[in-house]
Structure formats: C-alpha cells, structure tokens
Amino acid sequence: MKKILNTLFVTLPDTYLSLDGDNIVVKQEEAILARYPLHNLEAVCTFGYAGVSPGLMGACASRNIDLTFMTRTGRFLARVIGESRGNVVLRKEQYRISDDDKRSALVARNMIIGKIYNNKWILERATRDYPLRMDTDRMKKVTASLAGAMQQVREVEDLDILRGLEGAAAVQYNSVFDELILQQKKDFYFHGRNKRPPLDNVNALLSFAYTLLSNDMKSALEAVGLDAYVGFLHRDRPGRASLALDVMEELRGVYADRFVLTLINKKLIHGKGFYRKENGAVIMDDDTRKIVLKAWQERKQEKIIHPYLNEKMSWGLVPYSQALLLARHIRGDLDEYPPFLWK
Amino acid sequence: MLILITYDVSTVDREGRKRLAKVAKKCVDHGQRVQNSVFECILDSTQFRRLKYELEELIDKKEDSLRFYNLGDNYKKKVEHMGAKEAYDMESPLIL
C-alpha cells in the first residue's frame, strides 16, 4: 500500500506560493515563511486568497499533488487538476455505469449499506460504552430500524427508492446524534443538519470535516484514474464531484462525524472559538480552524486494519483504498463493490 | 526514512564554488537545511539512491566529500536540537 504523505494547509490569506527548484516556497510580502520539498507532500490546501504561481500549479499537476483553494470559512472554490491518470477504458466503463440507472443502483446500494452499517455501529458502540449517559431505549429503537433499513436496501435495484431509504435512515441517525455529544452540551448541540450556511457550532464543524473528507476523496479517485465528477447515486451537476460524494457516504459517519465528536468530547475545541455572522451563519475563528486541521492530520496518521483488505494502514489511506476497490469493481476484477465496514 | 547529508566542497577555485552551489541546490530540493552544510531529508529508498547518484555526479572526488547518515524511520528519538534555528518536522501537520 502506498505511503501517506503530508498535506500543507495555508490559512494565512496574504501569502503567495511559488516554486523554487523542487521546493514549494511560501512567501508573505517577499519574506520567505517556509520552504518544503514537494516530494514530501501529496496535497496543498489554501484557505483565503493565497496566490499561487503558474509554475507551482504545473509542478503540482505533474506530480499528482492535489492543489485546492477554499474560502476562509472552508467552502470549496477550485482545484488544479492535471492530465487524467489511469486509462480511458476504465473511465468509459464508469460513464456507462453512470448512464445506466440499474447498474448505478447496484453499486450505490453497497455504498449505502456501508453508510447505514457504519452509522448503526457508531450508535451501538456509544450505547455500549456510555449506557448511563444516554437514552438506551431510544438508541436501541433507532439501531433496530437501521438494521431493518439495511435489509431493505440490500434488495433495491432502483435509484429513487434507494435515495428514499437512504434519506429515511439518515433522519433516524440524525435524530439521536445529539446523544453522542457528551461534553460541553451548552455550546455544542445537534438539532438537525443545516448547511450553506451552517447555523450552529456542530453543523459548522460537520460541514468543515465533510469538505476536508471530500477533498481527500476527490484526489483519491483521480489518483486511481476515475472521474470524481461522474457519480452513481448523486446526479451529475456541473462542479459537483458526484462520485466523491457517493463513496464518501460510507465514510461520513466513521471518518467525519466521529472526528467532530472527538474534538468536542475531548474538549479540544471550545464554544468561544465560534462566532455568528449577521445572516446567522456560524464560523470558527482562525485558531479553532488550525486546531481542527492539526487534529485532522493526526487522525489520518492513526493506524487501522482495513476490514476488507485485511491490511494495516493509516486512516488517511482509507479514501484511497476505497477508490482502488471501486476501480477494481468497475474494471470487472471484483463482482461487487466492497464498502468500508468499520469494525 | 530520515537521511542526514553533510558535505565539504573545496572552494579554493571558481570551479569549486560552482560545485558547492550545485550541491547545495540539489540538497535544498530534497530536504531541509538545518545548518550551513547539513541537510535533513525524508526520502524513500528509491529517492535516496537517486539523490546519492546525482550528488556523486556533481562533486569532484579528489577535492570534495559527502557523508550520508541513515537515521531510519524512527529518527525522532535520535535527533536533539539546541540553540537557534529550530527545524520543522516534515511529518507532523503543516499548517501556516
């Protein structure tokens, strides 16, 4: 399995990134802030309006380093993509599946099974670990209904029915998500998902974590030669990385939601680190964003055993390994797409 | 793995100074300058072999010398820093 390399996050808005030899050089008004060799990086992610030289864009594209631009609040703006990797045959097959509703449904339903399975496991694990701190009866009811939903999804061959079941399962899971927040309840609570803009601290964190995960997912898909913008479950829309969103479904819970819960429950972040704009949007301040990014990077280094590949790897490689398995399925080497079922 | 590279390039003539600049540039491309002619590079074994070969091509073996110290993957325990110019850790989160 490949090695996970580092990601450089640039959160200072008045910086300029350029290329010098094989180094990325970060400048702030002509003063050099930092210099890193490119071969140690796999992604560069900028927040705010950091400028980048065309030379560096080219170097990143040719070395398959993912260069992403986001707003200060973490909303995705653009990314630099080089020549498509992998082979055309694989991508054409991907497009064929995407055009065929039934074949799309067969792949997408495995992803949804993965999602429901993982979310159910998150709830079961929490109920087992903290039986006295949550409404166990309510949790048991939800996990039972998730188990039922999983049974139904297994049989579905129609995309719209699949979307309906997925939505219903998400509503169930969201209805008890607040129970999983064990600390700092005054500042962190979950009364339902809202986005664009997020209206409370937890939703702001979730949105940010999903953006980070989708960036990792997009570059993983491109790295194995798939087109991140052509999906099976999510419909095509210009600028939307539908396939990345598809594969992300199974990872949202175990990867992003649990990450957010850890930040809150371990008190790594505090309510003071968030502020509200006039339109109600909740935004984290610069220090909090740095804490979140640091924790995200550290999380990526943690080791797990991949349940399907049975191989020890870091969490950061899970998006890549799922992209690899999906490519193998599309190529015909695997009869079905094996979702990531967390243990 | 972490490779520590140190060099001594003779600068008595113009040719030597040219070689020094080239060697330094090559090292900057691959790692972090921790002291004037000391570099720390995080490389895999392929990258290390290539770098070694490229540096060998640059120097004049009668005048100059190169030394490579392989500190392996668990290098963090083996390096201690004192004084000015604290180095950054290439494998910890890079957030500016």
Side-chain angles (χ1 to χ4, degrees):
Chain A
M1 197 40 84
K2 76 175 196 154
K3 187 174 184 261
I4 179 165
L5 299 173
N6 217 334
T7 303
L8 169 64
F9 292 100
V10 184
T11 63
L12 305 163
D14 50 346
T15 46
Y16 188 77
L17 314 181
S18 61
L19 181 71
D20 176 27
D22 284 335
N23 282 183
I24 176 171
V25 178
V26 184
K27 285 187 197 146
Q28 195 168 31
E29 285 166 7
E30 295 308 303
I32 293 179
L33 278 187
R35 159 195 293 280
Y36 305 111
L38 280 176
H39 71 256
N40 292 128
L41 297 176
E42 68 173 19
V44 179
C45 193
T46 73
F47 297 87
Y49 301 101
V52 177
S53 77
L56 181 65
M57 289 188 197
C60 287
S62 70
R63 288 152 179 269
N64 216 5
I65 296 173
D66 196 55
L67 185 56
T68 318
F69 301 89
M70 302 213 262
T71 64
R72 299 206 67 192
T73 53
R75 209 163 55 79
F76 175 80
L77 285 175
R79 69 194 263 268
V80 176
I81 311 171
E83 204 182 335
S84 291
R85 266 148 233 281
N87 62 53
V88 227
V89 186
L90 176 70
R91 270 195 301 281
K92 278 180 91 173
E93 187 59 22
Q94 180 194 346
Y95 299 150
R96 270 182 223 120
I97 298 179
S98 171
D99 280 340
D100 181 335
D101 276 5
K102 190 169 169 215
R103 290 182 70 194
S104 290
L106 295 183
V107 184
R109 78 175 180 196
N110 280 13
M111 294 164 176
I112 298 305
I113 288 175
K115 175 177 180 161
I116 302 177
Y117 176 94
N118 288 336
N119 287 358
K120 175 170 159 276
W121 193 211
I122 291 172
L123 299 180
E124 278 171 357
R125 208 154 149 164
T127 325
R128 187 190 64 196
D129 290 348
Y130 305 99
L132 300 175
R133 302 185 64 171
M134 46 188 75
D135 186 346
T136 28
D137 288 342
R138 205 167 140 220
M139 296 291 259
K140 288 247 163 66
K141 251 183 225 150
V142 171
T143 52
S145 88
L146 289 182
M150 223 151 60
Q151 285 296 335
Q152 283 175 288
V153 170
R154 231 184 275 270
E155 310 294 328
V156 174
E157 292 189 0
D158 180 275
L159 273 179
D160 283 324
I161 300 176
L162 188 59
R163 290 192 185 104
L165 286 171
E166 192 267 320
V171 168
Q172 287 285 323
Y173 169 74
N174 282 346
S175 74
V176 287
F177 189 75
D178 192 49
E179 300 271 337
L180 305 177
I181 301 169
L182 301 169
Q183 301 286 342
Q184 316 188 74
K185 285 294 261 204
K186 199 161 72 56
D187 292 318
F188 296 97
Y189 47 80
F190 185 84
H191 300 323
R193 178 86 181 112
N194 48 57
K195 51 196 169 182
R196 281 183 289 262
L199 301 174
D200 56 58
N201 298 351
V202 173
N203 275 295
L205 284 168
L206 286 174
S207 289
F208 193 62
Y210 293 154
T211 312
L212 293 176
L213 179 57
S214 76
N215 279 338
D216 289 349
M217 202 64 244
K218 279 180 229 171
S219 47
L221 289 166
E222 304 276 347
V224 300
L226 291 168
D227 186 335
Y229 292 81
V230 177
F232 304 142
L233 182 69
H234 289 83
R235 293 196 180 92
D236 293 348
R237 192 199 287 165
R240 171 157 79 179
S242 302
L243 188 63
L245 297 176
D246 286 356
V247 189
M248 245 177 85
E249 287 299 344
E250 62 200 64
L251 298 177
R252 276 177 203 267
V254 275
Y255 210 117
D257 296 359
R258 282 183 64 240
F259 169 74
V260 168
L261 290 169
T262 311
L263 289 176
I264 300 169
N265 289 343
K266 286 201 173 157
K267 296 186 181 172
L268 295 170
I269 49 165
H270 302 281
K272 285 198 295 287
F274 295 80
Y275 60 93
R276 190 179 289 275
K277 291 210 303 193
E278 306 78 43
N279 62 355
V282 170
I283 291 167
M284 57 184 105
D285 64 20
D286 291 353
D287 289 335
T288 306
R289 190 174 315 114
K290 278 189 187 172
I291 295 170
V292 175
L293 290 172
K294 182 164 176 285
W296 181 260
Q297 283 303 98
E298 282 163 357
R299 176 74 191 286
K300 282 211 255 183
Q301 296 294 340
E302 278 172 28
K303 294 279 191 291
I304 51 153
I305 292 184
H306 191 286
Y308 181 81
L309 297 169
N310 208 7
E311 201 176 324
K312 195 172 170 192
M313 63 173 71
S314 47
W315 262 112
L317 272 183
V318 170
Y320 176 77
S321 67
Q322 290 312 114
L324 205 66
L325 290 169
L326 182 61
R328 281 185 200 162
H329 165 62
I330 292 173
R331 209 178 276 132
D333 297 342
L334 286 174
D335 290 339
E336 281 194 60
Y337 165 69
F340 181 83
L341 303 176
W342 182 47
K343 277 198 242 192
Chain B
M1 54 194 177
L2 180 73
I3 308 287
L4 186 80
I5 304 173
T6 65
Y7 54 73
D8 226 344
V9 177
S10 162
T11 51
V12 286
D13 55 2
R14 237 177 64 123
E15 285 302 303
R17 285 191 289 275
K18 266 192 188 164
R19 287 201 304 278
L20 176 69
K22 280 186 186 159
V23 170
K25 177 89 179 75
K26 183 59 69 189
C27 291
V28 170
D29 278 350
H30 288 81
Q32 167 177 208
R33 182 171 228 150
V34 286
Q35 281 175 358
N36 282 338
S37 50
V38 181
F39 286 82
E40 285 181 8
C41 309
I42 308 269
L43 302 167
D44 62 33
S45 50
T46 325
Q47 288 166 335
F48 178 38
R49 280 187 104 162
R50 180 187 289 169
L51 177 61
K52 217 160 50 173
Y53 172 76
E54 287 172 347
L55 284 172
E56 200 185 333
E57 294 284 286
L58 291 176
I59 60 164
D60 175 349
K61 286 208 177 132
K62 285 192 287 297
E63 308 263 353
D64 318 328
S65 70
L66 276 169
R67 291 181 79 86
F68 301 95
Y69 301 83
N70 187 341
L71 296 174
D73 286 325
N74 299 315
Y75 56 86
K76 286 192 179 135
K77 292 181 279 221
K78 296 174 188 156
V79 183
E80 209 177 317
H81 182 90
M82 277 184 205
K85 284 207 279 183
E86 186 82 58
Y88 64 82
D89 175 0
M90 193 64 224
E91 292 192 306
S92 71
L94 299 177
I95 300 162
L96 290 173

